[in-house]
Amino acid sequence: MTTLPPGPTEPPVLQTLRWLLRPISFLESCRRRFGDAFSVRFFGFQTPMVMVSHPDAIRALYGVREHSLPPGRAVALLPIVGPRSLLLLEGREHLARRRLMLPPFHGERMRAYESIVRDAVTRDVDGWPEGRPFALHPHMQATTLDVILRAVFGVTDVARRARLAERLGGLLAASASAGLQFGVLLSRRFGGPDPLARLRTVTQEIDALLAEEIAERRADPREDILSMLIGARFEDGEPMDDREVRDQLMTLLIAGHETTATALAWTFDLLLRHPHALERLVGEVDAGEETYLRAVVAESLRLRPVVPLAGRRLTSELHVDGLRLPPGTDITPAIWLAHTRADRYPEPFAFRPERFLEHAPTTYAWIPFGGGVRRCLGAAFAEMEMRVAIAEILRRRALRPASPAAERVARRNVTFSPSSGTRVVAAARS
Ligand code: HEM
């Protein structure tokens, strides 16, 4: 049978609001009612989105590199990252760029970035208030933005980097709300002014700053990621032109910091509410080891996946969960559901880093970075950054939660984010 699996029957507008405002309860109710695979109708889209969570289904989906992208990714990202972004290109064009952009993100290159992370964290922690509550998430955002700017641009004009940081932070804040996302879907459905148009002024300012950086590196290449992008050549010997370099820079700057900051904020929310795990981790960090730290990062990305969906549009028939889905179907793993399957993770809602001491995460039941030929380019970078930042923070500050209640999941851009920004109280360590 080539029919789509059943799903909620509420009007698309209601399904979309539930997804934007209460994503976890929406997903859980779909799991209860329909099981492993179901179809969701998002407002403003012609076709349903099939959501799957069984590892076999995810393997089957990500195993075929020819599938393309569903339209939702471009709706959310194109106005910011631009049409040549690695995140949005497909097929041969995508693979050719991916090959060019992989080298600086290879696992073995990570040591080189550790000191950048350590410096950025130290500078930020030195400015934290002592003994009174503050939100950790904005600090993690400033830190990870500083890190990616330094990795991408290396040594550069300090005032220009500060202006870029300020404009990029403003752009993300302006595009964050669920209300804006709903407005985008409304204008898609009914026409009318594009709510993202007002972001154009700030993207133009950012473009001007990026153009200055690109021109400088063309004249004087260095060791940084931007110089590498400019020096890279496609198989036919051609380089990327300036417009494309701009889109790939924007992609790295945007994809490379908000996600990692949010993952760090979640990790601290989880750790501070699990004193045994925190104590064990602090002991290990003080001893200069990182086995438990790696498990904490894996468990945090499992229980609080930052990016909820990483979908594809089928270019060939796919057999999953007893269904035959035709070409053209939009389908995505529901990452939260894949990560909280009781058959893969005993006590799936418990924060237990120990589970990853016994078994490393398995490829298709642990997919915070998506999978296959589009798996996150910065996964090794993000995990390195999380490890170094967590260890550095725990070495310098004793933290406790500012309130007894754990953070709720709220949408921010395309991510699941802690609704109050992970409020903590910090004290210097004796
Ligand atoms: C915890 C942090 C991060 C998370 C959770 C995350 C998650 C993701 C996900 C789910 C995708 C889509 C994968 C797919 O469609 O299968 C993705 C793609 C991507 N990410 Fe990340 N990411 C993180 C950090 C980073 C960092 C630090 C960078 C760069 C320095 C980065 C750069 C990219 C790029 C360039 C892509 C597009 C890859 C492609 O289409 O080939 N990400 N990421």
Side-chain angles (χ1 to χ4, degrees):
M1 263 198 345
T2 57
T3 51
L4 303 188
T9 50
E10 294 103 51
V13 68
L14 274 187
Q15 297 187 39
T16 307
L17 284 173
R18 289 181 69 196
W19 168 249
L20 289 176
L21 299 175
R22 292 280 181 275
I24 301 294
S25 77
F26 179 61
L27 289 169
E28 286 296 347
S29 94
C30 289
R31 165 151 63 187
R32 264 196 315 277
R33 287 160 72 192
F34 309 108
D36 279 349
F38 49 87
S39 303
V40 172
R41 290 191 161 272
F42 288 127
F43 182 72
F45 290 89
Q46 302 289 332
T47 47
M49 173 66 84
V50 175
M51 296 197 180
V52 294
S53 63
H54 196 287
D56 293 346
I58 296 168
R59 174 185 288 113
L61 177 65
Y62 283 157
V64 179
R65 54 160 62 182
E66 287 77 19
H67 295 321
S68 57
L69 288 172
R73 188 178 286 196
V75 171
L77 295 175
L78 191 135
I80 296 177
V81 294
R84 311 297 297 161
S85 164
L86 184 69
L87 274 162
L88 301 180
L89 290 174
E90 308 191 71
R92 291 159 64 99
E93 286 193 314
H94 168 259
L95 273 182
R97 268 85 194 160
R98 200 169 154 99
R99 229 169 266 136
L100 289 200
M101 293 171 70
L102 265 172
F105 296 102
H106 259 171
E108 66 268 23
R109 296 288 302 268
M110 291 308 122
R111 288 257 163 233
Y113 302 116
E114 286 183 2
S115 61
I116 295 181
V117 181
R118 217 167 279 126
D119 287 354
V121 171
T122 308
R123 260 194 310 276
D124 190 69
V125 171
D126 284 345
W128 288 7
E130 277 204 30
R132 61 183 167 80
F134 69 99
L136 200 58
H137 193 203
H139 285 273
M140 297 297 96
Q141 285 165 321
T143 304
T144 56
L145 182 53
D146 192 20
V147 167
I148 193 72
L149 285 169
R150 281 168 198 269
V152 167
F153 296 120
V155 180
T156 185
D157 185 282
V158 175
R160 192 190 302 145
R161 188 167 60 216
R163 282 208 300 283
L164 254 177
E166 192 210 322
R167 304 289 192 286
L168 284 165
L171 178 64
L172 279 169
S175 61
S177 77
L180 181 83
Q181 290 175 35
F182 195 60
V184 172
L185 296 177
L186 277 176
S187 79
R188 234 175 104 78
R189 175 73 177 75
F190 298 117
D194 175 2
L196 292 173
R198 64 189 166 83
L199 302 181
R200 228 153 268 151
T201 317
V202 66
T203 42
Q204 278 164 1
E205 288 170 8
I206 294 172
D207 285 356
L209 294 167
L210 294 181
E212 287 175 32
E213 293 285 350
I214 294 170
E216 271 184 24
R217 285 322 174 286
R218 283 213 189 279
D220 174 22
R222 300 174 208 158
E223 289 289 298
D224 48 59
I225 295 176
L226 171 54
S227 301
M228 188 281 309
L229 284 181
I230 286 173
R233 296 289 178 269
F234 294 113
E235 274 170 3
D236 62 5
E238 285 299 306
M240 290 193 214
D241 64 25
D242 280 3
R243 288 170 66 101
E244 171 157 354
V245 172
R246 176 266 171 213
D247 287 1
Q248 308 308 1
L249 279 180
M250 216 39 189
T251 302
L252 294 177
L253 297 177
I254 296 292
H257 93 274
E258 173 83 14
T259 41
T260 316
T262 305
L264 280 166
W266 279 125
T267 308
F268 280 103
D269 190 57
L270 290 165
L271 273 174
L272 301 190
R273 296 175 197 292
H274 294 84
H276 291 302
L278 179 62
E279 195 183 322
R280 179 167 178 180
L281 182 59
V282 171
E284 194 199 75
V285 163
D286 287 348
E289 288 159 21
E290 59 169 46
T291 314
Y292 194 65
L293 178 56
R294 284 176 184 269
V296 164
V297 168
E299 177 69 340
S300 168
L301 289 169
R302 178 191 74 83
L303 199 52
R304 296 290 184 269
V306 173
V307 179
L309 308 176
R312 305 288 184 260
R313 175 166 280 183
L314 298 184
T315 49
S316 54
E317 193 174 77
L318 183 74
H319 297 221
V320 290
D321 292 311
L323 296 157
R324 277 167 44 200
L325 303 176
T329 306
D330 292 336
I331 169 170
T332 182
I335 298 179
W336 159 266
L337 296 179
H339 285 187
T340 50
R341 295 178 64 88
D343 59 353
R344 296 294 157 143
Y345 299 106
E347 294 184 70
F349 302 104
F351 177 67
R352 282 208 305 113
E354 288 72 14
R355 68 175 92 236
F356 291 119
L357 288 177
E358 294 142 28
H359 310 282
T362 50
T363 311
Y364 296 105
W366 188 84
I367 46 164
F369 297 108
V373 75
R374 304 203 75 110
R375 185 172 189 268
C376 175
L377 191 79
F381 190 99
E383 289 180 286
M384 171 281 299
E385 186 170 4
M386 288 179 73
R387 285 196 303 275
V388 175
I390 294 166
E392 205 52 43
I393 288 170
L394 293 179
R395 248 178 239 128
R396 291 167 177 275
R397 291 292 183 273
L399 294 174
R400 62 181 168 83
S403 81
E407 290 276 348
R408 230 175 25 79
V409 170
R411 299 270 316 186
R412 201 184 132 84
N413 298 320
V414 294
T415 61
F416 280 180
S417 188
S419 58
S420 311
T422 306
R423 294 183 63 75
V424 302
V425 178
R429 279 192 67 192
S430 48

